[in-house]
Amino acid sequence: GGVYVAIGDVYGVSKNHLNAMLYYRKAIATLRQSNATKEDSLWLATAITNAGDEFLNNKIFDSALIYFNESGQISDNLKNETGKAYNLGNIGMVYANIGDKILAEKNINEAIIILKELEDYYPICVYLISMADIYLERGDQDASLDYAQRSLQLAKQYELKEQISAANLKLSE
């Protein structure tokens, strides 16, 4: 199951949605049939989260939300704070895309708080950019700039090249 997740991730990064989903579905099916050890459950949550990301990236928001809710439940049951934070942030990004900015902001802020404690800065940068988008859509350019600058500062501090690029792009917008 873990190998299928890794292969799905490669296809996801390559923007090959169909093959990414093929391997995430194989991972999910394999892991659901396993003995359900804690490690298997963590892999299952990861596979479901990553499949949800594919739906989010392809603007299939209803499916993304279903997947994130399921992987969030698994993470809660395992008391996996990283999984919980990723799901909160991802759900927030879904809400931002479907127009519920209040729930988007609530979920993303909760995710950022948890991720700061875990010192997991890559997703924080992603979520800060999402917050910049929310404020830009509200017409609050100052707040939007602040979120994008915070993302850039964090990305530079931790040498996260992809996020440096994303933050600079957002600042240019």
Side-chain angles (χ1 to χ4, degrees):
V3 172
Y4 286 144
V5 171
I7 294 169
D9 289 346
V10 171
Y11 281 118
V13 169
S14 302
K15 308 261 187 269
N16 185 330
H17 174 71
L18 292 176
N19 280 331
M21 288 307 297
L22 172 72
Y23 281 94
Y24 290 142
R25 285 187 179 108
K26 285 182 179 187
I28 292 166
T30 300
L31 292 163
R32 285 193 199 282
Q33 293 174 1
S34 73
N35 294 328
T37 65
K38 183 175 181 177
E39 184 178 349
D40 290 339
S41 295
L42 285 170
W43 275 113
L44 178 60
T46 300
I48 295 170
T49 297
N50 293 2
D53 279 338
E54 279 298 309
F55 284 123
L56 174 60
N57 293 334
N58 286 279
K59 301 185 184 325
I60 307 169
F61 302 120
D62 54 345
S63 295
L65 203 51
I66 290 167
Y67 276 67
F68 292 145
N69 283 326
E70 182 180 355
S71 61
Q73 283 184 307
I74 295 168
S75 293
D76 285 346
N77 292 342
L78 295 171
K79 298 184 182 357
N80 177 0
E81 289 297 302
T82 301
K84 176 181 178 179
Y86 280 44
N87 277 283
L88 284 168
N90 291 343
I91 288 170
M93 289 177 20
V94 170
Y95 285 138
N97 279 285
I98 62 174
D100 193 335
K101 306 303 184 200
I102 293 169
L103 274 176
E105 195 170 349
K106 175 187 173 294
N107 279 278
I108 291 170
N109 282 327
E110 278 184 57
I112 290 171
I113 290 167
I114 295 168
L115 291 164
K116 279 183 182 175
E117 290 174 14
L118 297 171
E119 298 180 355
D120 192 354
Y121 299 107
Y122 182 92
I124 293 173
C125 292
V126 172
Y127 299 143
L128 288 171
I129 293 297
S130 191
M131 291 295 289
D133 287 335
I134 291 169
Y135 280 93
L136 190 58
E137 286 180 29
R138 285 185 186 161
D140 188 343
Q141 291 182 344
D142 291 336
S144 179
L145 278 170
D146 180 59
Y147 278 106
Q149 287 170 338
R150 285 173 50 198
S151 179
L152 179 60
Q153 178 185 9
L154 210 55
K156 283 182 176 179
Q157 181 179 348
Y158 293 99
E159 300 177 359
L160 304 169
K161 292 178 183 177
E162 186 178 331
Q163 290 317 114
I164 291 170
S165 174
N168 278 316
L169 179 61
K170 186 54 58 187
L171 286 166
S172 73
E173 290 174 12

